[in-house]
Amino acid sequence: MAEQIWFHIDVNSAFLSWTAVDEIAAGKNRDLRQMAAIIGGDISKRRGVVLAKSTIAKSYGIRTGEPITDALKKCPDLVIVQPDHSRYEWYSQKLMNLLKTYSPKLYQYSIDECFLAYVVPEQGLSKNQIRKRAVLDAYHLKDRIKNELGFTVNIGISVNKLLAKMASDFKKPDRVHTLFPDEIQEKMWPLPVGDLFMVGRSSAERLKLLGIKTIGDLAKSDQDMLTAHLKSHGRVIWEYANGIESTPLDARSKTDHKGIGNSMTLSHDVTDRKEIAGILKILAEKTGERLRETGQLSGMICVEIKYYHFKSVSHQMQLLTPTDSSNMIFKAAQQLFDELWNEDPVRLLGIRLSKLCSRKQQQLNLFDMENQEKMQKLDQALDQIRNKFGQDAVIRGSFVKSPGKKK
């Protein structure tokens, strides 16, 4: 059986790139990608952070996630553009629609990255021939995205999603990289351990105290020692360091989910209920669509809020009848948010669905059954329209309308 080849497609500095493309299309005589520029929150409120940066801004030492006030100290002439979530949703959907023409197996990982199962163009090719063809096709895809959509991507190629994602993080922008199993020692092991997927700053610091500085050091470490210091996370990152993906990166590819969730870090601190409702609507649509892809229903809905001072709170409720309806998820999320919110500025919103069950396990009374059938037919119709024409092709009348798409 031929090995599966995966592409990981990652938009280069997505928010800044999409803003630049939009400005150029509108006739603005500048390209943010060629300037010391960032996408960030409202500087007048002094709470904004850097969400995306140009290569030139990066050369000043500006980092994603740092306060805008700190970025301005490093580069006083920095160009700052406030983000536009509706713009990002629109460009993201344009990209996903293009990618779906290449393969039916596409798993969106975030707004600006996804995994794509490579479809072998012809039968009878050897493993090496398939890999070479995959690289050629990845270059063709990268260039097509650049020519048709106006922005660049990195594409990582490997036999699993983990290694494909690691490969796409190599030199940027506008590149294609491979990281096949026989290339791990040469390309991945020399990298700092903090570059490994799922190794955050605190984990990297703990590993360094154990004498583990590179991914190669981690790969060669004793598993029992790692487990003793990092619990089950130690085993997972040891496997990742060795290119083993026994813990999937993308839970959507599994059919026995314990939970499905989406969250959105906001470009500025939000206090407007209408704007919050629009964000909850987007999250409800995405979690509902993912739930329907698995053929399951959710019996528990949870809403998470992270405030501007980084304190996180959450609230959940059990549903009388399990559902996969985006509309029902949205209504429950609004109720939970209203019960939870203390009116402090919001930095992150998330929706998580749990207590999942198969539709076959569901028990409904006649009234519930009629309503569920109507909701399912509506959701299926909307999913089909969006898959064919884009995420903003149709909007529910019962939902708060999100910001309009860019033309």
Side-chain angles (χ1 to χ4, degrees):
M1 183 177 177
E3 65 182 2
Q4 176 68 70
I5 301 292
W6 288 96
F7 289 179
H8 179 255
I9 298 119
D10 188 10
V11 181
N12 299 136
S13 196
F15 291 178
L16 187 126
S17 293
W18 290 335
T19 304
V21 172
D22 224 34
E23 287 191 350
I24 292 169
K28 203 156 190 176
N29 188 28
R30 70 179 186 184
D31 186 339
L32 295 172
R33 295 166 292 189
Q34 307 302 320
M35 308 166 61
I38 64 167
I39 303 298
D42 188 351
I43 184 60
S44 66
K45 296 180 180 178
R46 304 185 67 82
R47 283 198 295 263
V49 297
V50 177
L51 296 177
K53 60 191 179 301
S54 67
T55 302
I56 296 174
K58 183 179 179 181
S59 70
Y60 283 89
I62 293 170
R63 297 177 289 104
T64 300
E66 75 174 320
I68 292 176
T69 49
D70 291 352
L72 282 168
K73 292 175 184 176
K74 298 174 181 177
C75 180
D77 296 327
L78 191 66
V79 176
I80 303 171
V81 180
Q82 290 192 43
D84 182 340
H85 288 298
S86 63
R87 168 190 288 147
Y88 307 147
E89 287 288 334
W90 189 77
Y91 277 108
S92 174
Q93 195 60 44
K94 290 278 285 186
L95 174 62
M96 299 306 154
N97 288 342
L98 185 152
L99 295 175
K100 286 175 183 177
T101 66
Y102 277 78
S103 171
K105 293 176 66 176
L106 181 144
Y107 303 104
Q108 187 169 358
Y109 191 72
S110 69
I111 193 170
D112 61 349
E113 58 181 318
C114 66
F115 297 100
L116 188 73
Y118 177 65
V119 178
V120 180
E122 59 187 88
Q123 300 298 316
L125 298 180
S126 68
K127 182 175 74 173
N128 287 337
Q129 288 174 325
I130 291 173
R131 290 183 177 185
K132 288 179 180 179
R133 285 293 296 269
V135 172
L136 291 174
D137 288 342
Y139 274 104
H140 177 269
L141 174 58
K142 175 186 72 68
D143 293 340
R144 183 183 170 193
I145 292 168
K146 184 177 182 179
N147 294 333
E148 294 186 17
L149 302 183
F151 53 86
T152 63
V153 300
N154 263 37
I155 300 180
I157 308 172
S158 193
V159 298
N160 62 35
K161 296 173 188 173
L162 165 72
L163 293 176
K165 181 171 174 60
M166 288 296 299
S168 70
D169 282 336
F170 293 161
K171 189 175 181 180
K172 300 180 178 183
D174 199 21
R175 301 295 182 102
V176 171
H177 298 286
T178 63
L179 184 56
F180 293 115
D182 56 357
E183 299 175 310
I184 290 174
Q185 291 190 30
E186 175 190 354
K187 294 184 177 182
M188 190 171 78
W189 279 8
L191 298 176
V193 72
D195 286 359
L196 183 64
F197 180 71
M198 288 292 287
V199 175
R201 185 176 301 174
S202 61
S203 294
E205 291 301 320
R206 292 181 69 182
L207 290 170
K208 287 176 183 176
L209 291 175
L210 298 173
I212 299 171
K213 297 180 180 179
T214 68
I215 296 176
D217 293 338
L218 177 60
K220 300 169 189 174
S221 297
D222 181 74
Q223 291 187 64
D224 292 337
M225 180 269 293
L226 292 170
T227 303
H229 286 275
L230 297 170
K231 310 297 183 184
S232 60
H233 186 60
R235 177 188 58 80
V236 171
I237 60 175
W238 179 89
E239 290 179 347
Y240 284 177
N242 283 282
I244 302 167
E245 191 194 324
S246 61
T247 302
L249 272 68
D250 187 1
R252 277 165 284 180
S253 65
K254 291 175 67 64
T255 57
D256 58 341
H257 306 285
K258 293 183 179 178
I260 286 175
N262 266 97
S263 62
M264 183 181 293
T265 300
L266 310 182
S267 56
H268 59 287
D269 301 328
V270 178
T271 57
D272 181 70
R273 283 181 176 272
K274 185 176 180 181
E275 186 172 0
I276 287 168
I279 296 164
L280 288 174
K281 177 251 180 184
I282 292 171
L283 293 171
E285 288 284 15
K286 286 187 174 296
T287 51
E289 183 177 358
R290 287 175 56 187
L291 188 61
R292 291 188 290 276
E293 286 176 359
T294 71
Q296 297 185 92
L297 305 171
S298 171
M300 180 80 75
I301 296 178
C302 177
V303 165
E304 178 192 5
I305 300 173
K306 181 181 287 185
Y307 292 112
Y308 74 98
H309 43 61
F310 293 100
K311 179 182 178 181
S312 294
V313 292
S314 62
H315 189 27
Q316 65 184 24
M317 65 185 293
Q318 186 159 338
L319 303 177
L320 293 175
T321 303
T323 186
D324 63 1
S325 163
S326 294
N327 195 24
M328 296 299 294
I329 295 168
F330 174 65
K331 288 180 178 179
Q334 278 195 309
Q335 178 183 334
L336 287 166
F337 178 85
D338 288 339
E339 293 173 356
L340 184 63
W341 189 37
N342 66 3
E343 299 192 358
D344 279 352
V346 176
R347 175 161 293 190
L348 175 145
L349 280 172
I351 293 177
R352 182 163 183 81
L353 312 177
S354 59
K355 290 199 173 180
L356 305 188
C357 65
S358 140
R359 286 198 183 97
K360 296 178 182 179
Q361 297 173 305
Q362 184 184 23
Q363 294 182 347
L364 301 174
N365 58 45
L366 291 177
F367 178 75
D368 286 333
M369 189 178 298
E370 183 179 355
N371 282 339
Q372 283 280 24
E373 287 178 354
K374 288 180 180 178
M375 289 292 185
Q376 287 173 4
K377 288 179 181 178
L378 175 61
D379 283 322
Q380 289 169 1
L382 295 181
D383 289 345
Q384 290 173 0
I385 293 171
R386 290 193 181 103
N387 285 336
K388 187 171 183 180
F389 298 107
Q391 194 68 24
D392 293 329
V394 62
I395 299 174
R396 292 171 200 267
S398 60
F399 276 12
V400 175
K401 183 178 175 65
S402 62
K405 74 178 181 182
K406 300 294 176 183
K407 302 273 186 182

